[in-house]
Amino acid sequence: WDWRVVVNLIADIVFMMEIFLNFNTAYYSEEAMILVREHRLIAARYMKGWFYIDICSSLPLEHIMCAVGAGASNSALLRAVKI
């Protein structure tokens, strides 16, 4: 394996771990003046905020493109990236 592939894979794993942590990290509610620890409320707040940016940044697109591009045409590759 090339060292760049390993570094990229480690970065993808770290971003995926961040998503897990964000679903399990309490936050302070300014309105109620309390620390919110309920998983349902934490998840709802995260889904309204950074979740979609985090999930897009953690997808291992290089690995997906290599797997799809092994025998696929360029149009199929573009469709896979669009998904």
Side-chain angles (χ1 to χ4, degrees), residues 21-80:
L21 286 174
N22 282 327
F23 273 116
N24 292 292
T25 303
Y27 67 93
Y28 185 75
S29 172
E30 295 288 333
E31 297 170 359
M33 303 285 286
I34 60 169
L35 185 65
V36 178
R37 296 184 195 154
E38 189 175 336
H39 287 288
R40 182 182 57 83
L41 296 175
I42 295 168
R45 181 174 188 247
Y46 182 48
M47 294 288 286
K48 290 178 186 174
W50 287 93
F51 173 73
Y52 296 104
I53 294 169
D54 287 346
I55 199 75
C56 288
S57 67
S58 69
L59 289 175
L61 290 177
E62 295 81 15
H63 299 291
I64 294 170
M65 288 172 33
C66 287
V68 172
S73 67
N74 287 337
S75 63
L77 185 62
L78 289 175
R79 275 185 263 137

Side-chain angles (χ1 to χ4, degrees), residues 1-33:
W1 283 30
D2 185 22
W3 67 271
R4 289 174 287 225
V5 173
V6 173
V7 169
N8 197 8
L9 185 61
I10 291 170
D12 290 339
I13 291 169
V14 169
F15 277 119
M16 289 179 204
M17 289 171 49
E18 181 203 8
I19 291 172
F20 174 77
L21 286 174
N22 282 327
F23 273 116
N24 292 292
T25 303
Y27 67 93
Y28 185 75
S29 172
E30 295 288 333
E31 297 170 359
M33 303 285 286

